[in-house]
Amino acid sequence: MNEINNSLMNTGTLWLPEAISDIAGSVDSLFYFIFWISVLTFIGIMGVSLYFLVKYRASNNKPKEKHITHNTLIEVVWTVVPTILCMVIFYWGFTDYMRLKTAPGDAIQIRVTGEKWLWNFDYANGTNTVGELAVPVDTPVQLIMSAKDVLHSFFIPNLRVKRDLIPNRYTTIWFEANKTGSFQIFCTEYCGDGHSNMLANLHVMPMDKYQDWLASGGGSNKDMPLAELGAKLYKQMGCNACHTLDGSKSVGPSWLGVYNSHRQLTSGKTVTANDNYIRQAIVDPGSDVVAGYPPVMPTYAGKLSDRDINAIIEFIKAQK
Amino acid sequence: MATTGTSFIKHEVAHHFDNAEQEFESAKLGMWAFMAQEILFFSALFVAYAIFRYLYPEAFLEASSLLSWKMGAFNTAVLITSSFTMVMAVNSAQTSQKKKTFNFLLVTILLAALFLVVKYFEYMSKFHHGIFPPNYFNAMAVFEQVPIFFGIYFVITGLHALHILIGIGLIIWIMRRTARGEFHADYFTPVELVGLYWHFVDLVWIFLFPLLYLVG
Amino acid sequence: MSTKTIKNYLNCETGIMSWLTTLDHKRIGVMYLLFIAISFGLGGFFALALRMELLTPTQLYLTAKQYNQAFTLHGAVMVFLFIIPSIPAALGNFVLPLQLGAKDVAFPRLNLASFYVYVLGAAFAIFSLFNGAVDTGWTFYTPYSTQSDTSVISMTLAAFILGFSSILTGVNFIATIHKMRAPGMTWFRMPLFVWALYATAIIQILATPVVGITLLLLIFESTFGVGIFDPALGGDPILFQHFFWFYSHPAVYIMVLPAMGVMSELVTTFCKKNIFGYKLIAYSSLAIAIISFLVWGHHLFLSGQSSYANMIFSLLTFLVGIPSGIKVFNWVTTMYKGTIDLKTPFLYFLSFLFLFCIGGFTGMFLGALSVDVHLHDTYFVVAHFHYTMMGGVVMAFLGGLHYWWPKMFGKMYSEKWGRIAAAFVFVGFNWVFFTQFILGTKGMPRRYYNYLDQFQPLHAFSTMGTFVLGTGFIIMAVYLIHSLFKGEKAPANPWGGLTLEWVADTPPDHHNFHETPTVTTGPYDYEKAGY
């Protein structure tokens, strides 16, 4: 899985993962406010029920009494008190929601495009990345998001932000992370076979590092050996959403043993999956589709440099 | 008026009702409840229409001008007349006038058929000009949302036509029962209920005509 | 047992045709019950299949597509074929005319027709199973559903047809409740189950047609195009969600309201107490029915709906919770100074009370806007609606089934095994679904085929619970079927109930009552009955 850290289960409290923004902390306060009201009321209701169960069991002989069928005071009380509590929760939830929604004017803007099944990030300086979102710490960041094909939803649990992405329309979220590190991003609106692999990573870094990262076009991979870079891109670019490495069939063919194998195409032709074919399959995936698979792969032309494509080919070669 | 003559069949109250009045009232209430669901059924389409007309007023204006308001107006007149003949049919049934009931129902059916014939020619002339539902739309239009109008148009008029067809079937059914002499002053529930249905179908069209044909 | 058998609705006519063409509401109810039980089994099978796959973070034995089909079919079968018809169509059909002191529902032929419409819808659903099972989720969100190459059309057509079955039942019940009450049964002498069915029928009639037309539009959209949900033409995919939830949120009350009705019956009978706050409970059913039409937007908090709309929907969502809370308080207070008998149906009452409270409280987390942003579309939502739908509706259905079983079939089931099964179901259910609350708050999104390794312990734990839950249902199936053949003969009124169905024979006569009963008091006057 495209997992870089253990940011959810083993951080934070029993119920919530670590919060890395001020607003997230406030959301958590409301969560626990409702939580404790619920727990106390629940114990109350169950406790009273249990008491009645024991006290008024049929086997306990008791004197006949007049049946009480209503009591206006108590009925008004248990209508009004919960209503007031609910209004408090409503108000609190709404005001925090407005804070979550209203981005400060000076926020850094990053464009996010969701498509089956990967996340594209476009920065103002022209840098674009897939599956890796870098933001500076202690700085407001606004994401302007849109979907290419179907609905998606962008979710960063540690920041308590989430918003649907819709084709032909823009939606936004904003946050101000107060802690550096790497955090998980999910797609939370069902979008098909690769939905659960439509993941990305959020990297919160100090401003100077962020500037370097931007200047290098999204982190430099120049020194990385090709096959190693290929392994990184396999996850980062979302190849893993459709191509397994263990030979099992997913949306697309597995990469295990695929290099230099003979492939039957939907057109009836047979090709050898050599460097040229793989390159073509990456930049123009609709052209020669292997028989038995749907023609759903998006093109990676413009998203991958020549070196990146070579790296992926090397990585595929290594899958024997 | 009492049931007279031998040409009528006496109505037996179903076993689970206490009397004819309870039976009639139940049937009528049930029909009204069913009408309520019919209104809600069409309402979503009207809501969709309202939203997109609000969003794309120019496109709706252009699309509407492609419809023949004369045909629409003619059909409106046909349906209003058929509503009138339906009222007369119900009235005749209530007064045990078998022959009149039958004839008025017959006229109603003929008018309904006329409506469908006009509708058929309307559809055909649209298809002829390449005006199809959006997936097959190939007519020239200035605004790119014109196909949405026709998407809604075909769905809503198509469903309305289906209701007319069902109505014709129902009227044929009560005509046969009328001929057998089942309806008279003491029992006319099915005629009344079908009448109710028929007025509803007319009413939908009376809303549709200005909304679809007379935009602008 | 004497050799002479008294004629009842089960043996007055014999042969398969006498069932298939019956107009008797009791037989129609029993036929519904059979189909609903089969649907529950089918839905349960899919549930088990997908929980097994979730034992491991990556592929275990299903492909991604098969997994997506499994959760879609689980949802679609459970919602459209099981829960919606469960209490109204099966138990309601059997019990409603009996409780009203009527001979039948107002339109027996329509009743049979709605059963066959249900069967037709079920046939389409089953057909879609074998014809490229649908993978869109039971909500059929556009534009995914118009692009999917699976059998979206036959499944949506199935849901459309099933909707009509539900509407016809609603029409029938409204006319029945208005016009078929026994002499002396005023509105405020009706049993609360009848009140609940009345409120349910209102929603069935006013909400179901909207989802009907919506699904029809979806079918047209994916065949020849309408454009209104298609962003490429200027349409709006979110409009589909509005239409869909305008029905589907009230629909959860189509499921829950009858369940609450059953609860009111169980608590009075097994506590031998007059209900506390009869009118408040009756009115709260109507209040829920009305407000339920105004809260659909809380499914769209994150869909790009305006903040103003979100505020209104959040407020109304809290308001719709209040009447449910009132009912809970009333039931608990009814137990006060009662004569409580812990029979199997009452155990399901207690399960309902426990689980439905959790379902309701977790609803407050989701109704609060800021907290919902975090929890939306996570396992927290999955756990929440299973607590209300399964912990609520299914527990009430089982309670009602055990309560009316002797009346329906004239046989008693094993009380001992009934209690054991109830315990298994209760423990298993919490095991499976409470775990999922934590998964959700920790950030695990729903409808995930693969998941992060760190979630595995909780997922595996949840999956283990399904076996306990499943065992409970298997035990139940065995002793219920066993009781049909070997069960003790049931007396006319095994629980000491006061509503009219207990006045009728067990099983009831073909015409329900030998003579039409006359009603002189409210439905739960146990004080007069000597308790």
Side-chain angles (χ1 to χ4, degrees):
Chain A
M1 289 290 306
N2 187 4
E3 185 182 7
I4 46 150
N5 54 54
N6 210 352
S7 60
L8 299 171
M9 281 311 291
N10 297 332
T11 63
T13 59
L14 169 67
W15 287 95
L16 292 162
E18 184 185 20
I20 57 163
S21 72
D22 293 348
I23 300 180
S26 175
V27 171
D28 291 3
S29 307
L30 177 56
F31 178 93
Y32 279 109
F33 178 70
I34 306 174
F35 180 82
W36 286 114
I37 284 186
S38 302
V39 168
L40 291 177
T41 320
F42 184 74
I43 291 174
I45 295 174
M46 289 305 131
V48 170
S49 303
L50 197 65
Y51 173 75
F52 289 168
L53 276 184
V54 175
K55 177 114 199 242
Y56 303 116
R57 275 293 289 277
S59 47
N60 291 356
N61 285 330
K62 60 186 180 63
K64 254 182 81 169
E65 281 187 67
K66 198 167 162 38
H67 288 202
I68 301 156
T69 55
H70 89 169
N71 179 325
T72 310
L73 177 68
I74 195 167
E75 289 178 70
V76 168
V77 167
W78 73 40
T79 307
V80 171
V81 173
T83 308
I84 293 171
L85 274 177
C86 279
M87 288 308 103
V88 171
I89 296 168
F90 156 74
Y91 182 74
W92 189 342
F94 176 66
T95 46
D96 270 0
Y97 173 77
M98 290 314 288
R99 282 173 67 204
L100 274 169
K101 230 187 142 210
T102 321
D106 59 346
I108 295 175
Q109 294 194 329
I110 301 171
R111 288 196 177 270
V112 179
T113 313
E115 65 181 298
K116 286 180 186 172
W117 289 285
L118 46 90
W119 296 104
N120 294 293
F121 301 101
D122 282 291
Y123 298 80
N125 76 337
T127 298
N128 69 71
T129 57
V130 174
E132 303 289 332
L133 171 64
V135 298
V137 71
D138 292 329
T139 314
V141 174
Q142 185 179 31
L143 305 180
I144 301 169
M145 314 190 293
S146 184
K148 235 182 193 167
D149 35 36
V150 297
L151 303 177
H152 300 283
S153 189
F154 190 84
F155 178 32
I156 311 173
N158 295 97
L159 285 162
R160 316 284 188 264
V161 293
K162 184 187 290 133
R163 190 91 173 151
D164 288 1
L165 284 75
I166 303 158
N168 291 23
R169 205 199 272 189
Y170 296 107
T171 53
T172 62
I173 53 179
W174 84 275
F175 53 84
E176 184 176 337
N178 59 18
K179 181 174 186 281
T180 57
S182 293
F183 304 94
Q184 190 64 50
I185 297 171
F186 292 110
C187 174
T188 47
E189 186 68 65
Y190 174 68
C191 56
D193 294 353
H195 170 53
S196 63
N197 289 334
M198 192 166 160
L199 308 177
N201 296 316
L202 169 74
H203 304 286
V204 183
M205 39 184 91
M207 193 46 127
D208 51 338
K209 278 216 178 120
Y210 170 73
Q211 298 292 2
D212 292 347
W213 185 91
L214 264 191
S216 71
S220 173
N221 295 320
K222 281 199 188 66
D223 304 328
M224 206 182 258
L226 279 181
E228 203 177 300
L229 175 60
K232 186 181 164 201
L233 290 169
Y234 169 71
K235 289 179 175 177
Q236 221 176 63
M237 291 288 154
C239 311
N240 60 345
C242 305
H243 302 281
T244 67
L245 301 180
D246 58 6
S248 62
K249 186 178 166 174
S250 181
V251 180
S254 175
W255 285 359
L256 184 72
V258 79
Y259 186 75
N260 265 347
S261 66
H262 296 287
R263 310 296 289 177
Q264 176 93 34
L265 302 181
T266 44
S267 60
K269 280 195 301 182
T270 307
V271 296
T272 305
N274 55 17
D275 293 49
N276 277 323
Y277 174 76
I278 294 173
R279 188 188 170 84
Q280 185 195 345
I282 292 172
V283 297
D284 185 13
S287 59
D288 279 328
V289 180
V290 175
Y293 294 95
V296 293
M297 180 166 155
T299 175
Y300 281 81
K303 287 177 194 162
L304 296 171
S305 66
D306 280 352
R307 187 163 188 272
D308 291 340
I309 292 176
N310 293 340
I312 288 174
I313 295 174
E314 285 305 319
F315 178 66
I316 293 176
K317 255 187 206 171
Q319 306 303 315
K320 287 180 217 156
Chain B
M1 190 182 292
T3 312
T4 51
T6 51
S7 59
F8 291 112
I9 300 170
K10 188 173 180 326
H11 173 67
E12 299 285 343
V13 175
H15 81 94
H16 58 289
F17 290 111
D18 296 335
N19 52 47
E21 193 195 341
Q22 188 191 21
E23 188 182 36
F24 175 69
E25 299 255 309
S26 303
K28 211 162 163 182
L29 181 71
M31 195 64 196
W32 275 109
F34 187 77
M35 287 296 104
Q37 84 83 23
E38 283 283 344
I39 291 169
L40 268 295
F41 184 79
F42 276 97
S43 69
L45 290 167
F46 283 108
V47 169
Y49 172 91
I51 290 170
F52 290 104
R53 180 166 169 181
Y54 172 76
L55 285 176
Y56 313 118
E58 305 91 348
F60 268 50
L61 193 60
E62 183 193 355
S64 173
S65 70
L66 298 173
L67 293 174
S68 159
W69 69 268
K70 287 177 189 156
M71 281 173 147
F74 179 75
N75 258 349
T76 310
V78 168
L79 276 194
I80 290 176
T81 316
S82 81
S83 245
F84 172 73
T85 56
M86 194 70 204
V87 172
M88 294 309 291
V90 175
N91 189 270
S92 317
Q94 285 168 343
T95 50
S96 303
Q97 291 168 291
K98 189 166 127 185
K99 188 84 196 144
K100 260 175 97 177
T101 312
F102 188 87
N103 287 342
F104 275 119
L105 288 175
L106 187 65
V107 177
T108 312
I109 284 197
L110 291 175
L111 289 169
L114 180 62
F115 176 90
L116 288 179
V117 169
V118 173
K119 201 80 218 153
Y120 170 81
F121 281 109
E122 239 190 306
Y123 269 31
M124 280 308 136
S125 86
K126 295 291 157 295
F127 293 163
H128 185 70
H129 291 104
I131 297 175
F132 289 101
N135 286 1
Y136 304 97
F137 193 88
N138 60 358
M140 300 291 279
V142 180
F143 292 99
E144 59 175 330
Q145 293 91 7
V146 167
I148 286 197
F149 176 90
F150 283 104
I152 296 172
Y153 169 82
F154 280 114
V155 170
I156 203 164
T157 56
L159 284 175
H160 180 258
L162 182 68
H163 276 79
I164 298 258
L165 269 176
I166 292 169
I168 292 178
L170 290 173
I171 297 173
I172 291 176
W173 171 64
I174 55 170
M175 273 169 76
R176 287 191 51 188
R177 293 183 65 181
T178 306
R180 270 188 252 136
E182 287 186 34
F183 303 128
H184 39 74
D186 293 334
Y187 180 68
F188 50 83
T189 314
V191 190
E192 170 125 0
L193 299 191
V194 171
L196 208 56
Y197 172 84
W198 193 253
H199 297 318
F200 168 78
V201 175
D202 291 353
L203 196 67
V204 171
W205 181 259
I206 287 169
F207 278 104
L208 286 184
F209 173 63
L211 288 178
L212 294 173
Y213 292 81
L214 305 178
V215 177
Chain C
M1 214 164 94
S2 70
T3 44
K4 134 180 120 74
T5 42
I6 305 156
K7 285 267 182 216
N8 60 47
Y9 83 102
L10 290 169
N11 62 17
C12 66
E13 289 172 294
T14 49
I16 185 87
M17 283 314 288
S18 76
W19 280 85
L20 294 179
T21 60
T22 185
L23 297 179
D24 184 345
H25 69 98
K26 299 181 288 302
R27 284 191 167 200
I28 294 172
V30 170
M31 289 197 289
Y32 265 119
L33 188 62
L34 178 68
F35 273 71
I36 280 158
I38 294 169
S39 304
F40 185 68
L42 187 66
F45 164 77
F46 288 121
L48 205 59
L50 65 92
R51 274 315 321 168
M52 283 307 292
E53 173 58 42
L54 290 172
L55 261 179
T56 61
T58 53
Q59 179 168 25
L60 186 63
Y61 72 107
L62 293 175
T63 65
K65 183 143 209 140
Q66 286 165 342
Y67 172 81
N68 295 339
Q69 289 168 329
F71 79 64
T72 303
L73 293 167
H74 166 67
V77 168
M78 284 300 196
V79 170
F80 296 116
L81 288 175
F82 171 68
I83 291 195
I84 290 179
S86 64
I87 298 181
L91 299 181
N93 244 320
F94 188 93
V95 175
L96 175 73
L98 285 168
Q99 285 199 331
L100 290 175
K103 296 192 190 78
D104 207 320
V105 291
F107 315 116
R109 265 190 299 236
L110 187 69
N111 201 14
L112 183 66
S114 67
F115 172 71
Y116 281 112
V117 172
Y118 170 83
V119 173
L120 181 71
F124 269 97
I126 302 297
F127 169 76
S128 82
L129 263 182
F130 296 105
N131 183 37
V134 62
D135 73 335
T136 59
W138 79 278
T139 47
F140 308 114
Y141 273 13
T142 53
Y144 185 80
S145 55
T146 49
Q147 296 169 10
S148 172
D149 58 358
T150 55
S151 60
V152 178
I153 293 181
S154 53
M155 186 50 103
T156 41
L157 204 57
F160 175 76
I161 295 169
L162 291 166
F164 267 90
S165 167
S166 176
I167 291 170
L168 296 180
T169 303
V171 166
N172 219 335
F173 282 7
I174 288 226
T176 307
I177 295 168
H178 268 274
K179 301 292 175 194
M180 307 290 285
R181 302 195 304 274
M185 182 172 284
T186 58
W187 282 89
F188 289 114
R189 286 182 187 164
M190 295 195 314
L192 287 162
F193 183 54
V194 175
W195 269 105
L197 286 177
Y198 186 70
T200 307
I202 293 174
I203 308 179
Q204 284 175 311
I205 289 171
L206 296 183
T208 318
V210 177
V211 81
I213 188 68
T214 307
L215 295 177
L216 214 54
L217 281 167
L218 182 66
I219 292 170
F220 292 149
E221 182 84 52
S222 44
T223 47
F224 56 78
V226 181
I228 61 171
F229 303 140
D230 182 359
L233 279 172
D236 185 357
I238 305 305
L239 184 64
F240 177 84
Q241 297 179 23
H242 279 290
F243 281 176
F244 183 84
W245 287 112
F246 181 82
Y247 160 75
S248 293
H249 197 82
V252 310
Y253 292 100
I254 292 182
M255 312 171 202
V256 167
L257 278 171
M260 292 170 158
V262 173
M263 287 301 106
S264 298
E265 300 299 316
L266 295 181
V267 73
T268 50
T269 302
F270 292 94
C271 296
K272 297 292 179 297
K273 261 286 296 291
N274 200 339
I275 192 95
F276 184 86
Y278 174 95
K279 284 195 180 175
L280 204 57
I281 293 184
Y283 283 135
S284 64
S285 286
L286 292 182
I288 289 174
I290 293 161
I291 307 175
S292 74
F293 279 96
L294 306 171
V295 297
W296 82 87
H298 68 220
H299 296 269
L300 288 86
F301 280 161
L302 304 180
S303 302
Q305 176 175 266
S306 76
S307 302
Y308 186 66
N310 279 351
M311 180 188 84
I312 303 274
F313 282 124
S314 170
L315 182 69
L316 289 164
T317 300
F318 281 107
L319 289 183
V320 81
I322 305 286
S324 307
I326 290 173
K327 282 177 192 255
V328 168
F329 294 136
N330 277 314
W331 292 325
V332 172
T333 314
T334 302
M335 288 157 70
Y336 176 63
K337 290 192 175 172
T339 310
I340 299 173
D341 194 0
L342 283 176
K343 287 278 184 345
T344 307
F346 196 66
L347 292 183
Y348 284 107
F349 168 84
L350 294 172
S351 296
F352 176 99
L353 202 65
F354 187 94
L355 303 174
F356 189 74
C357 280
I358 296 180
F361 286 128
T362 50
M364 294 205 301
F365 291 81
L366 296 168
L369 278 167
S370 63
V371 180
D372 180 70
V373 170
H374 178 62
L375 298 176
H376 204 93
D377 275 332
T378 66
Y379 263 71
F380 189 87
V381 177
V382 177
H384 161 71
F385 70 71
H386 278 92
Y387 263 84
T388 53
M389 292 295 106
M390 188 163 179
V393 184
V394 177
M395 292 307 141
F397 173 71
L398 295 176
L401 185 67
H402 284 83
Y403 180 56
W404 284 305
W405 185 269
K407 183 57 66 181
M408 290 174 119
F409 300 107
K411 297 289 172 67
M412 298 301 288
Y413 49 83
S414 157
E415 181 64 27
K416 184 180 101 189
W417 283 106
R419 291 180 188 192
I420 291 172
F424 266 93
V425 169
F426 180 75
V427 171
F429 177 83
N430 282 298
W431 189 332
V432 176
F433 291 105
F434 199 83
T435 317
Q436 297 183 6
F437 280 125
I438 305 176
L439 271 173
T441 54
K442 281 290 192 178
M444 169 78 208
R446 65 191 285 204
R447 295 178 170 177
Y448 260 34
Y449 164 66
N450 290 332
Y451 55 83
L452 305 185
D453 294 337
Q454 51 186 304
F455 291 129
Q456 191 181 11
L458 287 178
H459 265 302
F461 185 72
S462 174
T463 300
M464 280 190 281
T466 57
F467 292 100
V468 181
L469 189 55
T471 308
F473 283 115
I474 288 169
I475 295 173
M476 192 185 305
V478 170
Y479 73 72
L480 284 180
I481 293 171
H482 177 265
S483 78
L484 289 180
F485 300 101
K486 296 278 169 73
E488 259 179 69
K489 194 172 172 343
N493 191 357
W495 321 117
L498 289 187
T499 41
L500 289 177
E501 76 270 32
W502 303 110
V503 175
D505 292 350
T506 288
D509 178 62
H510 177 59
H511 293 290
N512 291 354
F513 301 95
H514 298 292
E515 55 194 87
T516 306
T518 308
V519 181
T520 52
T521 61
Y524 312 112
D525 201 346
Y526 282 96
E527 194 178 329
K528 213 183 212 173
Y531 286 95

